[in-house]
Amino acid sequence: MYQAKVTNIKITGRGGMGILTAAGILAETAFLAGYDVKRSELHGMSQRGGSVSSDIRFGKKVFSPMIPDGETDYLLLMADDQADVFGHDLRMGAEIISSVIFGPSGFPHKKSLNIAMLGALSAKLDFHHKIWLDVLEKIFGKEVVDINISAFNLGHKIMNQAIAEKHQ
Amino acid sequence: MKHVGLNVAADLLFTAAYSGVSGGLVFVVADDPGMASSQNEQDTRRYAVAAAVPMLEPSDSQEAYDFTVLAFNISERWGIPVILRLSTRISHSCTIVEHGNMPIAAPDPGFKRAPEKMVMIPAHARPAHKRLRIKLEEIRKWNEAEGPNLTIAGKGKPALISSGVSFAHCREAAPEAPVLKLGMTNPLPIGIIAAFARKHGDCLVIEENDPYLVTEIRGEGVNVRGKEKKFRIGELNVSRVKKIISGDKSPDPEPAKGMPPSLCQGCPHRTVFAILKEMNCLVSGDIGCYTLAVLPPLNAMDTMIDMGAGITVGLGMRHALPENEARRVVSVIGDSTFIHSGITGIVEMVYNPPATGHTVVILDNGTTAMTGLQEHPATGRKLDHRKTNRVIIEDICRGAGVKNVQVFNLPGKADKFRGELKKALDSNALSVLIARQVCLLAALRIRKLEKAQE
Ligand SMILES: Cc1ncc(C[n+]2csc(CCOP(=O)(O)OP(=O)(O)O)c2C)c(N)n1
């Protein structure tokens, strides 16, 4: 049976961390890269600090907007205390990307952590860098676009270093 | 609107179906199976049947777009209200949409006198009901012939019948199964369904919420199967649909718990609930951010049913409980909820005062915080934040005949509030105490707005 492989990415954290913004950027990038994309999110009481999570799925053809149990390929953890919550959603060998990659004190600019994490994820996906940057420029206003692009690039670089170290 | 919003609008829906409409009237109603942020998981499809109006169920963003256009076309062609039924996942998901040309221009406004159609006295309503049933039968025939229904060929058993987001789960859970996807689920294209069932034999209906489709289809004498009872509760997903198909009876994994929400640090609601708790009040609460006061550490709410019930349930408790308990009852309601459905409760309180009197606390944080900081009539700004007339909550209460109406600007007047609350509870008077302090999140936004207007 032929089933085109769908890539499943879950972004989780708490209200105010920019999860939906990050999910939007990822979905738009996948769309511009030519994939079918579906994205869904739950954020019932997010403004009150509750959990927020978003599923982004892309591939040749995506049906359900929700990632089926045990099929998450990448989990982006904006808040580390969410790791246990989504543990059962992971596929064998799934990758968890958490803010720990930025060192023990986390990413210096809290407000652009979401974009730095996307930068880190981008090192694992095969979208052109240019598409990511185009989307970032489209989403962010003049005042904050540069900060976000450098956060993205830093995340990308740090993940690439981590990958290189692993292969040494 | 939310599914519970249709409860409030239902009175209009039922009779607007009789009167008919001259332009397009579409009710966009989102159900919340799994209750991501609602107080129940009622199924709107029952309303479509009960009110005898057509209903469309999109299964992704593209269909949400296409079916909206279709809903208006149907509404205008037959002069009938139409329900576009969404669910949490349809509303909170984005899928790729191709825009069509916007085909619908609103007709020129104007009023043609037709009291026999628009004034629903029984003599007019009897023929109107007959007209409605004729329209529905015409729409059913249209649905059979050219409705937005889709048959996907496949092999294997069972064949699936589905609608809405469940259809997307079906395609993923059983990519090879034959599927009949219903886009218009009232009136049902029973001819198409019967033909599909005859062709495939074993047919399983996959639907979220109530066993609506399966009951209606079986009621028409077509033999199809439905899901196990337990799948009536909670949202469906690919894993659950696989279980329905294979008859797997194993329990579902615990859903992700996550961080519970809580009132913000510095939220004015906290001050009030701390005092209510300290005074050991029985709190008849309402819906909004402040409902979070039910959770630890505050644990300071005893009832919450629907918008407006804070006042009326509190009154009921005052009437029914023994005096020493009745005296402890306080109704708590937010400013937006007060405007939406609290005013009739105040009228009831004045008209039928309990023997021990009653105390209503209005939490006026100058916004509709819970649902995303929308304006409301008591903020003096329209939804797009432009200035407009402000409805004064204290004037409404005084105008209705409440004698003791006081406003406390928190947090400065918290002690004064505590003192006046105690006095009100000890007396047999009717009191409305308004605790006023702008929500911190709204204050930020208001400052930005005012800066922009400078
Ligand atoms: C009939 C109905 N319509 C809409 C809603 C959604 N809803 C939940 S809370 C709320 C308003 C909350 O505003 P407010 O009372 O001012 O409290 P706040 O969140 O600002 O503390 C609304 C509209 C609902 N629960 N029921």
Side-chain angles (χ1 to χ4, degrees):
Chain A
M1 183 182 70
Y2 171 72
Q3 208 174 357
K5 164 95 182 68
V6 170
T7 303
N8 295 314
I9 299 171
K10 195 181 276 286
I11 308 183
T12 76
R14 281 202 292 277
M17 291 178 151
I19 285 152
L20 304 186
T21 307
I25 292 168
L26 173 55
E28 182 75 11
T29 304
F31 169 65
L32 291 176
Y35 288 104
D36 186 20
V37 189
K38 290 194 175 171
R39 167 188 142 204
S40 94
E41 62 232 3
L42 279 190
H43 51 96
M45 303 262 263
S46 55
Q47 269 179 326
R48 274 21 97 199
S51 294
V52 187
S53 79
S54 181
D55 289 3
I56 300 98
R57 317 189 67 201
F58 61 87
K60 192 153 176 277
K61 173 77 196 154
V62 181
F63 288 114
S64 173
M66 298 149 80
I67 301 176
D69 288 349
E71 293 193 19
T72 302
D73 298 297
Y74 298 96
L75 176 63
L76 253 65
L77 277 179
M78 300 279 180
D80 295 336
D81 58 4
Q82 303 280 292
D84 296 343
V85 179
F86 294 99
H88 77 272
D89 285 347
L90 299 182
R91 185 195 289 292
M92 283 283 283
E95 296 214 34
I96 300 180
I97 301 177
S98 86
S99 57
V100 174
I101 55 165
F102 300 111
S105 48
F107 192 70
H109 308 290
K110 281 226 162 59
K111 279 209 157 156
S112 36
L113 170 67
N114 57 342
I115 305 304
M117 298 277 284
L118 271 190
L121 174 72
S122 73
K124 303 266 180 184
L125 304 177
D126 57 5
F127 303 139
H128 283 300
H129 203 68
K130 170 91 171 53
I131 305 181
W132 285 106
L133 294 188
D134 286 349
V135 175
L136 289 172
E137 272 173 20
K138 198 161 72 182
I139 298 259
F140 289 109
K142 268 203 202 87
E143 313 92 67
V144 290
V145 68
D146 290 341
I147 299 180
N148 280 294
I149 288 182
S150 41
F152 182 88
N153 286 336
L154 185 62
H156 186 85
K157 194 172 109 191
I158 286 178
M159 181 57 86
N160 269 338
Q161 279 166 1
I163 295 171
E165 275 163 28
K166 219 164 126 192
H167 287 277
Q168 264 169 21
Chain B
M1 61 185 80
K2 284 176 78 101
H3 55 341
V4 289
L6 189 55
N7 295 337
V8 181
D11 207 9
L12 174 118
L13 171 68
F14 278 73
T15 308
Y18 280 30
S19 68
V21 293
S22 53
L25 177 60
V26 176
F27 288 73
V28 180
V29 187
D31 286 357
D32 191 6
M35 294 174 280
S37 54
S38 303
Q39 66 266 40
N40 72 35
E41 46 189 338
Q42 67 186 56
D43 193 324
T44 293
R45 298 176 300 173
R46 308 280 200 192
Y47 265 117
V49 176
V53 296
M55 169 172 60
L56 296 167
E57 286 192 66
S59 70
D60 61 13
S61 305
Q62 179 73 57
E63 285 186 355
Y65 179 86
D66 294 339
F67 286 10
T68 301
V69 176
L70 182 60
F72 275 99
N73 281 335
I74 292 169
S75 180
E76 290 187 4
R77 174 164 170 198
W78 277 282
I80 192 170
V82 175
I83 291 178
L84 186 73
R85 188 246 191 181
L86 312 176
S87 64
T88 317
R89 284 298 161 174
I90 298 299
S91 300
H92 288 280
S93 66
C94 298
T95 72
I96 297 170
V97 173
E98 267 181 54
H99 289 253
N101 304 325
M102 285 307 258
I104 297 176
D108 290 337
F111 187 78
K112 263 200 223 114
R113 258 192 112 218
E116 68 290 350
K117 277 188 170 171
M118 285 296 156
V119 182
M120 280 298 117
I121 55 173
H124 296 167
R126 286 182 203 115
H129 188 189
K130 281 191 195 142
R131 282 198 300 275
L132 171 61
R133 294 294 160 187
I134 292 167
K135 281 182 195 173
L136 261 194
E137 182 50 25
E138 281 176 28
I139 294 169
R140 190 191 64 73
K141 284 191 185 130
W142 171 87
N143 193 18
E144 298 273 9
E146 46 187 311
N149 309 299
L150 182 72
T151 307
I152 294 171
K155 50 180 193 272
K157 288 196 187 301
L160 307 177
I161 299 176
S162 194
S163 69
V165 75
S166 311
F167 164 73
H169 303 326
C170 283
R171 294 288 290 142
E172 184 149 346
E176 306 218 316
V179 185
L180 172 59
K181 172 191 179 297
L182 301 172
M184 178 182 268
T185 46
N186 190 55
L188 281 173
I190 200 67
I192 294 176
I193 298 169
F196 183 82
R198 249 192 326 271
K199 178 165 175 200
H200 294 287
D202 183 17
C203 281
L204 176 60
V205 178
I206 307 280
E207 59 189 322
E208 227 166 32
N209 271 24
D210 286 0
Y212 159 73
L213 289 174
V214 72
T215 313
E216 293 289 318
I217 294 170
R218 291 176 67 94
E220 295 285 344
V222 179
N223 191 16
V224 294
R225 297 190 283 133
K227 60 191 177 181
E228 279 278 318
K229 279 202 180 73
K230 74 166 185 181
F231 293 104
R232 180 182 196 150
I233 295 170
E235 208 180 11
L236 292 186
N237 53 35
V238 174
S239 317
R240 294 187 92 200
V241 169
K242 278 184 182 158
K243 280 184 169 181
I244 296 174
I245 294 172
S246 66
D248 178 346
K249 294 207 165 53
S250 66
D252 291 325
E254 278 292 304
K257 278 244 169 48
M259 276 288 296
S262 62
L263 290 172
C264 302
Q265 287 302 325
C267 169
H269 295 335
R270 284 185 182 241
T271 316
V272 172
F273 282 100
I275 294 172
L276 291 170
K277 186 174 184 184
E278 173 194 312
M279 293 178 55
N280 195 26
C281 294
L282 271 176
V283 178
S284 168
D286 218 301
I287 307 195
C289 277
Y290 48 96
T291 315
L292 294 171
V294 69
L295 301 175
L298 280 165
N299 302 101
M301 191 171 289
D302 298 292
T303 65
M304 185 286 269
I305 304 293
D306 68 68
M307 283 182 85
I311 298 179
T312 49
V313 168
L315 284 169
M317 289 163 82
R318 281 270 181 169
H319 285 298
L321 292 175
E323 186 188 334
N324 60 334
E325 280 182 56
R327 254 188 211 297
R328 293 164 51 214
V329 178
V330 175
S331 288
V332 178
I333 188 167
D335 50 344
S336 176
T337 302
F338 175 79
I339 294 286
H340 178 280
S341 45
I343 299 169
T344 45
I346 295 291
V347 171
E348 161 64 15
M349 175 170 87
V350 171
Y351 188 57
N352 287 315
T356 57
H358 190 41
T359 302
V360 175
V361 173
I362 300 178
L363 302 167
D364 183 1
N365 61 355
T367 189
T368 319
M370 163 102 157
T371 49
L373 303 175
Q374 291 84 4
E375 307 287 358
H376 60 70
T379 68
R381 288 179 302 270
K382 299 210 178 214
L383 278 180
D384 63 5
H385 312 301
R386 277 178 307 150
K387 280 223 156 78
T388 180
N389 299 320
R390 176 169 162 231
V391 173
I392 314 280
I393 294 176
E394 47 275 39
D395 287 357
I396 291 181
C397 298
R398 290 195 186 105
V402 182
K403 295 281 176 327
N404 181 27
V405 178
Q406 302 190 53
V407 179
F408 305 88
N409 290 313
L410 297 180
K413 296 285 185 229
D415 284 336
K416 182 98 196 333
F417 174 81
R418 181 188 283 106
E420 290 297 323
L421 176 63
K422 175 142 195 356
K423 262 198 247 166
L425 291 174
D426 289 344
S427 77
N428 292 341
L430 302 177
S431 308
V432 172
L433 309 182
I434 302 172
R436 185 164 285 156
Q437 182 188 342
V438 175
C439 160
L440 299 174
L441 300 171
L444 270 175
R445 220 228 358 238
I446 293 168
R447 241 175 281 144
K448 262 196 202 153
L449 276 173
E450 283 173 354
K451 243 194 177 161
Q453 279 164 7
E454 268 168 20

